[in-house]
Amino acid sequence: MNLANLHLLLPEIFVLSMACVILLVDAYWRKCLHGIAYQLSQATLVGALLFTAFISVKEPVIALSGTFVWDSMAKVLKLFIYVITFTVFLYSRQYLIDRNLFKGEFFVLGLFAMAGMMVMVSAHHFLTLYLGLELLSLSLYAMVAMHRDSAQASEAAMKYFVLGALASGMLLYGMSIIYGLTGSLDLTTIAGVIAENKIEPMLLKFGLVFILIGLAFKLGAVPFHMWLPDVYQGAPTAVTLFISSAPKLAAFAMLMRLLVEGLGSLNVDWQGMLLFLSVLSMALGNIVAIAQTNVKRMLAYSTISHVGFLLLGMLTAKEAGYAAAMFYTMVYTLMSLGAFGLLLLLSHAGFEAENLNDFKGLNRRQPWYALIMMIVVLSMAGVPPMLGFWAKWSVLSQVVAGGFMWLAVLAVLFSVIGAFYYLRIIKLMYFDAPTDNAPVLKPSADIHWALTLNGMVILVLGVLPESLMTVCRVALS
Amino acid sequence: MFAELPLLSLLIWLPILGGIWVLMVNPENQSTLRTAALAVSLVTFVLSLPLFFGFDITTAAMQFSELKPWIPMFGINYHLGVDGISMPLIILTSFITIIVVLAAWQVIQDRPAHYLAAFLIMEGLMNGVFAALDGMLFYLLWEAMLIPMFIIIGVWGGPRRVYAAVKFFLYTFLGSVLMLVALLYLYSHTHNFSILDFHTVPLTMEAQMWIFVAFLLAFAVKVPMWPVHTWLPDAHVEAPTGGSVILAAIMLKMGTYGFLRFSLPIAPDASHAMDGFMIALSLIAIVYISFVALIQSDMKKLVAYSSISHMGFVTLGFFIPFMIVQNTGATDAAMMGIEGAMVQMISHGFISGAMFLAIGVLYDRLHSRDIATYGGVGHVMPKFALFAVFFAMANAGLPGTSGFVGEFMVILSSFAANFWIAFFAAVTLIVGAAYTLWMIKRVVFGEITPQKQSTVGQLVDMNPRETLIMVSLAAMVLLFGLWPAPLLDVMHVTVENLVNHLLQSKAL
């Protein structure tokens, strides 16, 4: 085994070791050092950020006998994952304290999940990819079930686990077929063998279908979306925040690695399948969201529709399209952070803010948070000048450039339908009077400023989106 | 001295920043708030005047241009400029915003800071829409404008405000997203978003048709043309007075402006092919909607329908030129049609704004928009009666008011196209006079019945602030009614250029 490039794995090694350290520290000193796990976790994320930022490699490097790749996409996505996870931990703190869940397990599991994402992002081999995916998924199952006494959370965890296992099985089956056909698990070799055109295409398609089903399950694309609303609703909001943000970046990386790097020459086949998934997701997500009264469930359906948009970028099968999809994913995580962050803020001891009516009259009570929520929601609806508009725009521009005019028209029509339920939140916040005795909340300064920054980033990058677009374009070239 | 200033940027950003500043003033201190908002709108108006006085009327090229890269990766630029079409609209916007700020003076007691800030931010965005020469910049501002208007209708509106606000937003959003697809399609041909490049890029007839339809949906909703007009009466009725004024005076003009800036020059062949359809829709708006207006019992609804009908003249003027040139071979009458339509846009801005303000004056006193509530208002409010009758006459197109000039020019040019088109348009002037004057008769004239003594009988006449608003609007209506030359001079060369452009096929 060639260990020359071991330094490329420093961030992963660091995160995993720190997670183990935190587990031990928390086990022994939980009583005397209150909140140590939280502080150490945040320090770990900062450390990982520095490690990753200082590794500068010009050309993509494939290390560890072809199982691990370091390229600019991996670097950008990892950096973004650290920032998102950091914010997730920050937003969750008060919520967890109020519910007596502020324990080491949340942060340790969070770090393990993140390590899984990092492995997925850098995977260059079916096995590494699967390893990262399982590390991520198993941690998330446990996190959903963390609220032991909640029947709803347990039900969500069970559903998540069973369906997640099924999806992993599908993925693994697809991988084994491809392995059987190409004789390799390494993505470069697989791509090379397929490009030689010596394999019966029908068999390859057969394997591809299973891989795609696995991916669609993990992403939550229709018709493999059933777990998503239940998990979003049932999980503690802090966990929902986590599930809905950083793992989407890893899922995007998984799409890129498997479909583009590994099975790139089958693009004609997976384009059609993605098209099907994408249109169904946009349609079902946007239409069913209208009927929801629970915000978490509504945002789950909104996620499904965003996944549809993300897939639109992928199915153009061009580099600019992938860049647009990556941009979309990043923007989506920022918006999701903002929306669930505010939901966490509105929840307080003994009260879960999860119904749409909890937003009633927010503008009268707390105009600043109402403004931030409005920015986030308009961004999700794709109304300029918010960042979400440019996300939709960059995907649509690639779809139009690819000649799929009808698809672009369909996509914008579904986003008009989607605008309706986003507007409803604004209506509740701005047009309705507050309910009886909703208290005025005073969150701690760091959460207040983080949310403010979150909202402002969406607005300011919406006016000047070029920097983030360039990052995505450069990362994929 | 003004030559060096980036005037158009100032006209966009000053009101937006001013609006944010107003939001930060202590909300308890209402007089400071209002003075600050008034100051911002006045300064913006003063800054818009050099556009008129420094305007070179001998060229159709874009003036006061500004060009900075914005998102160079996709060929998107921060490109501003005005020609004879957009310059008057920017001045109109700046003028009307002062009126709206004044009209809100004592009326809006609920969160006045937010109200005024929303209007100032909207002013900046609307100026931007008229000045934008980059497709994406235009689209961004066009959509962003929906947000403050949505809030204005929804927060300060009437009892059915939520329904009206959501309907307004979704209707316009639906129209605009298809325009976005059309812009992206054009981008795939020109590889940048410059509107001026869109004008010259050759397109097949089929592509032009699709583009025309996409733009038509966006602009027809905004104008609004029959049959996509139904959001307007709802929005007008529920919106607070200021919101109705901005809607009628400026937002509707964005739709017609869009036809001139996008549909006609980008897809001239499709416009030619579709002109019969467009003229038919315009005539339906003019004739049918006039009769709808006749039976309204709500004053705001009546004026809203009258707006739709008057905007029908504008779209008629825009799409009549092809037929005229076919019949006569000359472009004079064609130019007159477009110019008349543009005069009508400006004039309707003043008149409809004034009508809504007059209704607002009554509404502030009795909190009713129902015609039946009133009767004999002239006895107790003589000053109000004077202005109400004057603006009603202007709305009906009385010679000497600006309402006459535009409609007359459009009808006159229609004669060169087809007698029946002109006939139907002209006959409607009578219906227009009927519904407006009938409303005035029922509201202002007659005796105050004994049942209404306690309501109408106690009305107080307009205060100096309200009078000032009415006088300034009346002055504009008279000015352009008696002496439209400055306005026509400004647009003449631009329109000439546009007509010549329209007559050259750009189909592949």
Side-chain angles (χ1 to χ4, degrees):
Chain A
M1 195 173 181
N2 179 10
L3 292 180
N5 284 319
L6 201 60
H7 70 280
L8 296 178
L9 273 90
L10 260 182
E12 280 84 354
I13 295 172
F14 176 69
V15 169
L16 273 178
S17 339
M18 281 306 285
C20 298
V21 170
I22 294 168
L23 196 60
L24 288 174
V25 169
D26 185 65
Y28 287 101
W29 293 306
R30 173 182 285 178
K31 294 269 154 43
C32 50
L33 293 168
H34 186 69
I36 182 79
Y38 169 72
Q39 283 143 12
L40 277 177
S41 306
Q42 296 294 55
T44 307
L45 291 172
V46 175
L49 185 95
L50 292 176
F51 274 124
T52 309
F54 281 118
I55 300 176
S56 70
V57 180
K58 295 276 183 303
E59 294 295 309
V61 181
I62 295 171
L64 301 181
S65 320
T67 53
F68 185 92
V69 62
W70 180 272
D71 53 13
S72 48
M73 180 184 95
K75 181 170 176 174
V76 170
L77 282 179
K78 278 180 194 172
L79 290 175
F80 214 71
I81 287 175
Y82 305 143
V83 175
I84 299 287
T85 312
F86 186 92
T87 324
V88 168
F89 287 174
L90 178 63
Y91 285 169
S92 313
R93 195 188 57 208
Q94 191 57 43
Y95 177 90
L96 295 172
I97 292 175
D98 288 343
R99 273 153 198 75
N100 205 19
L101 290 173
F102 191 62
K103 297 175 184 148
E105 287 86 346
F106 180 84
F107 301 104
V108 172
L109 285 170
L111 286 181
F112 275 126
M114 198 186 77
M117 297 178 216
M118 293 161 72
V119 173
M120 280 165 80
V121 165
S122 273
H124 194 256
H125 195 270
F126 277 169
L127 283 185
T128 7
L129 195 74
Y130 188 72
L131 180 79
L133 178 64
E134 283 307 283
L135 182 53
L136 166 67
S137 306
L138 286 170
S139 312
L140 289 183
Y141 304 147
M143 284 174 93
V144 173
M146 255 185 50
H147 210 324
R148 266 193 316 208
D149 305 329
S150 158
Q152 215 185 9
S154 310
E155 185 197 330
M158 273 311 286
K159 220 171 237 171
Y160 194 14
F161 177 71
V162 172
L163 288 174
L166 186 68
S168 298
M170 295 277 188
L171 187 65
L172 212 51
Y173 186 52
M175 285 176 173
S176 67
I177 293 174
I178 301 287
Y179 172 66
L181 292 171
T182 61
S184 172
L185 290 168
D186 179 284
L187 292 178
T188 320
T189 321
I190 292 173
V193 174
I194 294 177
E196 285 170 16
N197 273 333
K198 285 182 187 152
I199 306 168
E200 167 64 36
M202 194 46 94
L203 292 172
L204 277 175
K205 274 182 212 169
F206 188 69
L208 175 67
V209 167
F210 283 97
I211 288 191
L212 213 68
I213 289 177
L215 288 175
F217 252 114
K218 296 293 175 190
L219 275 168
V222 180
F224 308 105
H225 65 286
M226 288 80 78
W227 60 275
L228 206 120
D230 292 328
V231 171
Y232 270 43
Q233 187 182 359
T237 311
V239 178
T240 313
L241 165 69
F242 189 52
I243 295 180
S244 71
S245 52
K248 304 293 177 204
L249 293 163
F252 167 76
M254 186 162 68
L255 277 179
M256 283 299 291
R257 300 290 181 214
L258 275 180
L259 293 188
V260 179
E261 285 174 22
L263 308 172
S265 35
L266 297 180
N267 64 15
V268 183
D269 299 313
W270 54 253
Q271 268 180 307
M273 301 182 202
L274 287 184
L275 182 74
F276 178 73
L277 294 172
S278 159
V279 171
L280 281 184
S281 302
M282 288 190 294
L284 186 122
N286 279 320
I287 291 168
V288 178
I290 292 175
Q292 306 305 319
T293 54
N294 182 295
V295 189
K296 283 158 82 180
R297 213 175 169 79
M298 196 197 89
L299 287 173
Y301 282 105
S302 128
T303 303
I304 295 174
S305 72
H306 285 298
V307 166
F309 250 95
L310 189 165
L311 293 179
L312 273 188
M314 295 299 296
L315 67 82
T316 56
K318 288 202 184 71
E319 201 170 81
Y322 306 144
M326 180 167 164
F327 180 63
Y328 198 98
T329 317
M330 287 180 157
V331 173
Y332 166 75
T333 54
L334 281 177
M335 301 188 298
S336 190
L337 267 190
F340 283 107
L342 269 151
L343 218 51
L344 285 175
L345 183 104
L346 294 180
S347 307
H348 46 87
F351 173 72
E352 287 284 337
E354 56 176 16
N355 286 318
L356 275 172
N357 283 343
D358 299 330
F359 280 104
K360 262 192 176 170
L362 188 63
N363 184 43
R364 303 250 176 191
R365 286 185 279 145
Q366 298 187 298
W368 184 244
Y369 297 127
L371 180 72
I372 293 176
M373 189 64 185
M374 177 165 80
I375 291 175
V376 171
V377 165
L378 286 173
S379 177
M380 284 188 166
V383 179
M386 312 307 167
L387 189 53
F389 163 70
W390 290 108
K392 288 208 161 66
W393 180 89
S394 49
V395 167
L396 283 176
S397 67
Q398 293 312 318
V399 171
V400 171
F404 301 97
M405 287 302 287
W406 63 273
L407 197 54
V409 171
L410 211 58
V412 295
L413 289 181
F414 283 128
S415 50
V416 173
I417 296 176
F420 177 76
Y421 60 84
Y422 295 122
L423 285 184
R424 199 164 58 177
I425 295 185
I426 301 181
K427 174 235 163 200
L428 287 165
M429 291 192 302
Y430 278 82
F431 305 169
D432 288 358
T435 45
D436 44 32
N437 47 8
V440 174
L441 303 162
K442 274 247 168 267
S444 57
D446 52 351
I447 295 182
H448 170 81
W449 286 110
L451 264 176
T452 303
L453 187 70
N454 196 164
M456 288 305 126
V457 162
I458 293 177
L459 179 62
V460 172
L461 281 184
V463 179
L464 302 164
E466 166 138 60
S467 51
L468 197 55
M469 287 178 173
T470 316
V471 166
C472 296
R473 187 59 77 87
V474 171
L476 290 184
S477 62
Chain B
M1 93 179 238
F2 287 109
E4 302 86 48
L5 279 176
L7 265 183
L8 293 172
S9 280
L10 276 175
L11 288 174
I12 297 171
W13 292 103
L14 185 77
I16 293 180
L17 295 176
I20 296 171
W21 175 53
V22 167
L23 277 180
M24 290 197 270
V25 175
N26 178 11
E28 301 300 315
N29 196 345
Q30 297 207 355
S31 61
T32 319
L33 265 177
R34 296 190 190 110
T35 322
L38 184 63
V40 172
S41 59
L42 278 174
V43 171
T44 314
F45 178 63
V46 170
L47 282 174
S48 74
L49 290 178
L51 289 187
F52 181 80
F53 292 108
F55 193 81
D56 180 359
I57 60 167
T58 57
T59 170
M62 290 295 164
Q63 305 182 32
F64 302 96
S65 291
E66 291 169 40
L67 178 60
K68 288 187 190 67
W70 180 20
I71 310 177
M73 192 158 83
F74 292 106
I76 301 175
N77 294 305
Y78 178 76
H79 190 184
L80 301 173
V82 286
D83 59 4
I85 301 171
S86 48
M87 189 273 282
L89 290 167
I90 290 181
I91 298 180
L92 176 73
T93 308
S94 310
F95 177 77
I96 294 289
T97 304
I98 303 179
I99 301 283
V100 167
V101 170
L102 277 176
W105 210 252
Q106 283 134 19
V107 179
I108 300 294
Q109 291 294 336
D110 178 26
R111 282 173 286 172
H114 295 193
Y115 183 85
L116 294 169
F119 277 105
L120 289 177
I121 291 173
M122 204 151 57
E123 178 189 11
L125 298 174
M126 290 187 296
N127 278 340
V129 165
F130 291 129
L133 291 180
D134 183 275
M136 283 322 296
L137 183 62
F138 174 87
Y139 184 81
L140 192 93
L141 294 161
W142 168 279
E143 289 278 72
M145 208 172 53
L146 294 179
I147 304 168
M149 198 65 195
F150 177 69
I151 300 277
I152 287 169
I153 299 177
V155 174
W156 292 277
R160 288 176 72 235
R161 61 207 158 88
V162 174
Y163 171 78
V166 172
K167 189 171 179 182
F168 160 77
F169 193 102
L170 289 183
Y171 242 99
T172 20
F173 195 51
L174 176 65
S176 338
V177 290
L178 293 169
M179 171 166 76
L180 178 65
V181 178
L183 288 173
L184 287 171
Y185 177 79
L186 285 164
Y187 167 71
S188 67
H189 285 264
T190 60
H191 302 290
N192 69 43
F193 278 97
S194 162
I195 295 174
L196 300 177
D197 285 357
F198 288 169
H199 287 182
T200 49
V201 65
L203 295 163
T204 61
M205 189 63 187
E206 195 197 347
Q208 283 195 37
M209 287 304 272
W210 283 111
I211 289 170
F212 184 85
V213 169
F215 279 126
L216 175 64
L217 279 170
F219 300 139
V221 166
K222 207 84 166 185
V223 169
M225 297 178 77
W226 183 88
V228 286
H229 64 281
T230 62
W231 63 271
L232 187 79
D234 286 315
H236 265 316
V237 167
E238 300 304 326
T241 305
S244 297
V245 172
I246 290 288
L247 257 178
I250 302 163
M251 278 210 182
L252 307 192
K253 279 38 177 205
M254 290 183 174
T256 44
Y257 170 77
F259 282 122
L260 282 189
R261 182 65 82 224
F262 290 89
S263 304
L264 287 167
I266 293 178
D269 303 291
S271 305
H272 191 171
M274 297 284 277
D275 69 340
F277 176 70
M278 297 301 292
I279 290 170
L281 287 187
S282 307
L283 281 179
I284 292 176
I286 295 174
V287 178
Y288 164 68
I289 298 292
S290 291
F291 283 103
V292 174
L294 202 54
I295 56 154
Q296 298 303 318
S297 59
D298 182 313
M299 290 189 283
K300 264 189 161 179
K301 240 182 185 155
L302 191 147
V303 180
Y305 279 112
S306 124
S307 288
I308 302 171
S309 168
H310 282 109
M311 292 310 278
F313 278 101
V314 180
T315 45
L316 177 64
F318 286 167
F319 285 92
I320 204 99
F322 299 104
M323 220 181 260
I324 297 173
V325 173
Q326 229 165 26
N327 287 356
T328 63
T331 55
D332 295 0
M335 281 174 61
M336 186 163 71
I338 293 183
E339 283 176 12
M342 283 165 59
V343 173
Q344 171 79 346
M345 277 162 74
I346 303 291
S347 146
H348 181 258
F350 294 124
I351 298 171
S352 67
M355 295 289 280
F356 280 116
L357 285 163
I359 296 169
V361 166
L362 289 182
Y363 183 78
D364 292 339
R365 286 165 174 70
L366 287 187
H367 296 284
S368 166
R369 295 179 309 260
D370 207 6
I371 296 177
T373 315
Y374 300 93
V377 169
H379 292 284
V380 280
M381 298 176 74
K383 270 194 280 182
F384 172 80
L386 171 72
F387 286 107
V389 171
F390 173 75
F391 287 119
M393 292 297 183
N395 198 37
L398 186 79
T401 63
S402 61
F404 172 73
V405 182
E407 286 174 17
F408 184 69
M409 285 169 78
V410 172
I411 292 171
L412 207 58
S413 70
S414 323
F415 270 112
N418 183 315
F419 170 78
W420 288 107
I421 295 175
F423 174 79
F424 278 117
V427 164
T428 313
L429 287 180
I430 302 167
V431 188
Y435 62 70
T436 322
L437 297 181
W438 192 33
M439 171 176 82
I440 290 299
K441 181 215 154 229
R442 286 179 290 169
V443 171
V444 175
F445 297 119
E447 292 303 318
I448 304 176
T449 54
Q451 306 93 291
K452 290 179 186 162
Q453 271 306 340
S454 60
T455 52
V456 177
Q458 306 301 314
L459 283 174
V460 186
D461 206 354
M462 293 200 297
N463 59 29
R465 176 181 59 87
E466 290 164 337
T467 317
L468 172 71
I469 296 174
M470 290 296 174
V471 167
S472 52
L473 284 168
M476 289 297 166
V477 171
L478 274 180
L479 173 70
F480 291 117
L482 298 171
W483 191 45
L487 193 57
L488 292 171
D489 288 345
V490 161
M491 47 184 71
H492 194 72
V493 177
T494 311
V495 172
E496 191 173 18
N497 185 50
L498 176 70
V499 170
N500 289 333
H501 176 83
L502 288 183
L503 297 178
Q504 279 156 9
S505 168
K506 59 187 250 183
L508 286 169

